[in-house]
Amino acid sequence: MEYALEVRNVSLRFGGVRALSEVSFGVKDGELFSIIGPNGAGKTSIVNCISGRYRPTEGQLFYRGRDITALKPNARAPLGIGRTFQNLALFHHMSVLDNIMVGRHHLLKNNFLTGALYWLGARREELEHRRKVEEIIDFLDLQSVRKATAGTLSYGLRKRVELARAMALEPQLILLDEPMAGMNFEEKEDMARYIVDLNEEFGMTVVMIEHDMGVVMDISNRVVVLDFGRKIAEGEPAAVLADPHVRRAYLGEEDEALSDPDDLPSHPPAAERVA
């Protein structure tokens, strides 16, 4: 199998507006793969299609050779697909520990009956899940805030807790939607190191949306570039960022390859222009 994840000719429309137009790319097993592009390029839209939050209008998605196009998000997690969100989606009134434990929910094997007989299996299972969560807390240096209420933490720490919850799913493929957005330089360095370790030490295939080109250049194996919902480049970071179409997209210059108005996709809705 050449690709762990394959996106084939995916298009996405919201009414008469095209957010994605025939986007295709593949992510190899064990790869750290970045999706980049200007604001509103459709980056979050394609990740939402991969995670199941959106269903493509056209095209197909394959995970390890299985067509997952029609699967709901809760059916993708057991396959080994986890994600974080651009806008934090934590339970702010719960502790850091409890937020991460939520990520283990689909791994629970005890049912209503065995749960009622707590001391005959359910307790042992809970302790095992707690042990796994504590390992994640240690890995992400969250020991000092493990009992803190998530809503009281700094933005950088909350982003780290969101990553911890995604790790708790034990995914083979993890989708990171702007994991370093809003962070200072030191926080970005820490997050980049955690992501590289996820990939190299935990063996997770990583698909990451990121605006910081320095980070993309430093840690990505390959990159795909979107602009107005279309793929304009794919390959190794240095080659992609030297591509004239990519430079025009970022610098706002007219791209001769897209000079025909009939070839230009419609602008996505306002909510997607910040994706």
Side-chain angles (χ1 to χ4, degrees), residues 4 14 16 29 38 96 111 120 144 146 170 186 219 228 235 243 252 257:
F14 297 98
D29 197 23
V96 167
N111 54 34
L120 298 179
S144 62
R146 58 190 299 279
E170 298 185 6
E186 185 178 336
I219 72 174
F228 288 112
D243 187 298

Side-chain angles (χ1 to χ4, degrees), residues 215-262:
V215 171
V216 170
M217 289 286 289
D218 285 345
I219 72 174
S220 304
N221 301 125
R222 286 191 308 121
V223 176
V224 67
V225 188
L226 302 181
D227 188 31
F228 288 112
R230 296 180 64 173
K231 185 179 86 169
I232 61 173
E234 180 181 357
E236 295 183 357
V240 164
L241 294 181
D243 187 298
H245 303 322
V246 176
R247 296 179 67 84
R248 290 186 186 109
Y250 274 98
L251 296 174
E253 301 171 6
E254 184 179 358
D255 192 334
E256 294 176 0
L258 295 176
S259 59
D260 185 347
D262 292 335

